[in-house]
Amino acid sequence: MYKHYPPHLSQLVFGDLNKKMMKINGLDYDLFLFLIYQTHKSYSLEKTDFIEIEYSKVKESLKSSPNTQSIKSSLQKIGNIVLKSNYLQSYGDKEIILTTKPFEIEIITSDNGKSYGFSVQTSTDFLKWFDNPIPKVGVNYDIIFSLKKMSKLLYLFLKDSLGTYGNKNRNVDIEKLKNMMNIYKVNYTNSNFMTEIKKSVADINENSDINVEYKIISKRNLKSGLSEMEAVKFSIQNDKLKAQTENVIKTKSTTVAETTNVEINNISATKTFEQHIEELVLIEYKKQISYGKDITNPTAYKNTIRNSLIANSDAKSKFELITLLDDVKANLKSKIRDGQLYQLVFTNGVQELANRYYINNDYLLENIHYEIVTKSINETLNFIQQHNGVDLHFDMARSNGFAKEKTGLINPDLFD
């Protein structure tokens, strides 16, 4: 599950109907995100702002597998929330955006007196925020559901702060940060809060797609003479390889240019990107040796190859895309019963419509008219992440056995 969010929702404080801060737990926040995804999906596909959801669907979607009573309690809380977004006044008119009860939730009681689910009536204005937010923050639900509660809130804020940059610094007033992290106890000290921030940063670094460091900014109180915490400075970057990548791009040499055409195929879904890079370094190094190249410093030469691969803007995207496609192929392959060749299609399920796409050997998407609709691997990956599970999904179709379809084949072992 993947969704684009309007950035002002990354700066969010939860309140009750009396506009006082509301304490939420991890399940409350997961359900809040789950409802955004499900309601906007129905709104996009069926143009409806009303849906009914079974508790079983919630349990299947959330990694915590909550029981029905816990879901009901969280729904009751979410049905009475007031959202204060753009809390740091960074976007638009630089004002806090107040949204009262975006979700009207009703627990449905069946004829036998039991409850199997609930209905949600969603504010249309709220739903429209997610149509095509500009700028936008991309949220991978698998990541955010794997984090602890404060980590979820901090991750969404920092992910938006990073935006499209490779790395970014963000200073935040410590009291405002407390509010966004849903800390509202008057006697909760800054030291206690920073202990929790430390845990959340460790959680994010271990389980997400960004890496975070932080520094406390203090100011001396001239009356007491004591140094008091004033703000927190976060340093955020995309991933562990990003700093190295930035350095490589800035310091490319002519030697690096010699190895920029190293192939980045043969990716296994069980590898990490780092392992994949190391394998390619060894392959290219052995290839150059076989060509008779005189290499006086093997370590330096391998570093040159490694840096060139990391500097390749499509390398990481290709790794992520092939890993994703391998998982999809593995799931679909088990459904093939007739021994025929099948290929991946990215579709809305209606064959006659234009939004049905195939993957060619360059990892670009082609429509049913054989027109290429993505210009790069990165664009293909972004297109799939934006639409998968929203208005399109992966399926399979009979293949004609053309050579250009080989990359998209689900069962390529049958390809002649």
Side-chain angles (χ1 to χ4, degrees):
M1 295 167 64
Y2 190 90
K3 187 127 202 82
H4 286 129
Y5 276 69
H8 62 83
L9 272 185
S10 68
Q11 302 175 8
L12 186 62
V13 174
F14 291 90
D16 60 22
L17 295 179
N18 295 318
K19 299 183 181 177
K20 295 181 179 178
M21 283 190 63
M22 175 188 284
K23 183 67 176 175
I24 64 168
N25 58 36
L27 176 57
D28 299 335
Y29 191 61
D30 282 349
L31 266 174
F32 174 71
L33 297 178
F34 172 83
L35 290 179
I36 288 174
Y37 183 88
Q38 296 297 337
T39 56
H40 187 255
K41 180 179 178 180
S42 293
Y43 180 72
S44 299
L45 297 177
E46 302 172 17
K47 304 304 177 188
T48 179
D49 56 7
F50 177 85
I51 62 170
E52 295 182 346
I53 303 174
E54 291 186 39
Y55 299 126
S56 59
K57 186 169 186 178
V58 177
K59 296 175 184 179
E60 291 168 2
S61 300
L62 303 187
K63 290 186 177 181
S64 57
S65 299
N67 60 49
T68 300
Q69 188 53 50
S70 297
I71 295 171
K72 286 181 180 179
S73 298
S74 285
L75 289 173
Q76 184 177 14
K77 191 182 298 185
I78 293 170
N80 291 284
I81 56 173
V82 173
L83 307 178
K84 291 183 179 180
S85 59
N86 201 30
Y87 188 66
L88 299 181
Q89 297 172 274
S90 304
Y91 297 103
D93 296 330
K94 308 293 185 180
E95 296 179 354
I96 292 175
I97 301 171
L98 200 64
T99 307
T100 302
K101 297 185 70 171
F103 304 111
E104 293 280 354
I105 299 172
E106 181 182 352
I107 303 298
I108 300 173
T109 303
S110 66
D111 294 339
N112 62 11
K114 295 182 179 180
S115 178
Y116 299 97
F118 57 96
S119 65
V120 187
Q121 178 76 50
T122 314
S123 162
T124 303
D125 289 339
F126 181 75
L127 289 170
K128 287 180 179 178
W129 282 349
F130 303 90
D131 282 345
N132 188 27
I134 300 175
K136 59 192 173 187
V137 52
V139 176
N140 185 323
Y141 275 68
D142 287 336
I143 290 175
I144 209 159
F145 284 164
S146 70
L147 299 173
K148 297 179 177 64
K149 190 206 85 173
M150 187 183 288
S151 308
K152 299 173 193 288
L153 299 169
L154 184 61
Y155 169 78
L156 188 58
F157 168 65
L158 295 178
K159 181 76 171 174
D160 169 62
S161 298
L162 179 62
T164 59
Y165 294 94
N167 52 73
K168 189 81 177 286
N169 294 328
R170 182 66 193 261
N171 292 4
V172 194
D173 175 84
I174 197 164
E175 294 303 321
K176 290 184 177 180
L177 184 61
K178 277 185 188 179
N179 290 341
M180 290 195 298
M181 296 302 104
N182 202 231
I183 300 297
Y184 65 98
K185 297 177 183 176
V186 176
N187 59 349
Y188 197 79
T189 67
N190 288 342
S191 295
N192 289 339
F193 177 57
M194 290 312 303
T195 298
E196 295 305 311
I197 288 291
K198 182 179 180 180
K199 293 177 183 177
S200 292
V201 166
D203 189 18
I204 289 169
N205 287 342
E206 182 177 353
N207 298 302
S208 84
D209 55 352
I210 61 174
N211 287 276
V212 183
E213 295 178 358
Y214 70 93
K215 178 181 178 182
I216 298 170
I217 300 173
S218 299
K219 185 177 181 180
R220 188 176 299 280
N221 185 316
L222 298 182
K223 288 187 178 180
S224 67
L226 299 176
S227 183
E228 298 177 352
M229 295 183 193
E230 186 176 58
V232 181
K233 177 182 179 180
F234 292 101
S235 298
I236 320 142
Q237 52 182 55
N238 262 326
D239 54 54
K240 293 176 182 178
L241 290 171
K242 191 63 183 178
Q244 188 177 358
T245 302
E246 292 294 324
N247 183 59
V248 169
I249 292 171
K250 291 176 183 177
T251 61
K252 269 188 176 179
S253 67
T254 54
T255 310
V256 172
E258 293 177 9
T259 61
T260 54
N261 292 322
V262 177
E263 289 296 322
I264 52 175
N265 295 310
N266 305 318
I267 296 173
S268 166
T270 61
K271 300 174 190 174
T272 65
F273 181 61
E274 292 88 344
Q275 290 169 332
H276 171 60
I277 289 294
E278 292 309 310
E279 290 182 9
L280 294 179
V281 168
L282 187 58
I283 290 170
E284 180 63 18
Y285 177 76
K286 289 180 177 179
K287 183 191 297 183
Q288 294 301 321
I289 292 292
S290 71
Y291 292 162
K293 189 173 183 66
D294 184 18
I295 300 174
T296 57
N297 188 335
T299 300
Y301 193 78
K302 288 178 181 178
N303 283 338
T304 297
I305 299 171
R306 183 180 298 107
N307 291 342
S308 176
L309 288 166
I310 293 171
N312 184 333
S313 61
D314 257 352
K316 185 67 180 290
S317 294
K318 187 167 187 178
F319 175 80
E320 293 178 2
L321 177 60
I322 295 179
T323 300
L324 184 155
L325 296 179
D326 281 350
D327 287 341
V328 174
K329 289 177 185 179
N331 290 330
L332 292 174
K333 189 173 182 179
S334 62
K335 300 177 182 179
I336 298 175
R337 297 287 185 268
D338 58 8
Q340 299 297 315
L341 275 175
Y342 283 86
Q343 62 179 314
L344 281 179
V345 290
F346 196 45
T347 175
N348 67 347
V350 182
Q351 189 167 358
E352 290 75 17
L353 295 184
N355 49 349
R356 181 180 176 89
Y357 305 98
Y358 302 87
I359 297 164
N360 67 21
N361 289 345
D362 294 319
Y363 295 93
L364 305 179
L365 294 178
E366 291 186 8
N367 63 22
I368 59 174
H369 304 295
Y370 305 104
E371 299 168 336
I372 296 176
V373 296
T374 53
K375 298 177 182 178
S376 67
I377 293 172
N378 186 54
E379 191 174 321
T380 298
L381 180 64
N382 288 338
F383 183 92
I384 290 173
Q385 289 176 333
Q386 181 175 355
H387 292 277
N388 193 22
V390 179
D391 54 345
L392 299 171
H393 64 275
F394 280 106
D395 205 342
M396 58 185 179
R398 284 284 297 273
S399 170
N400 294 317
F402 296 140
K404 72 171 187 174
E405 298 175 355
K406 191 169 183 179
T407 293
L409 289 180
I410 297 169
N411 50 347
D413 46 305
L414 297 180
F415 187 81
D416 186 4

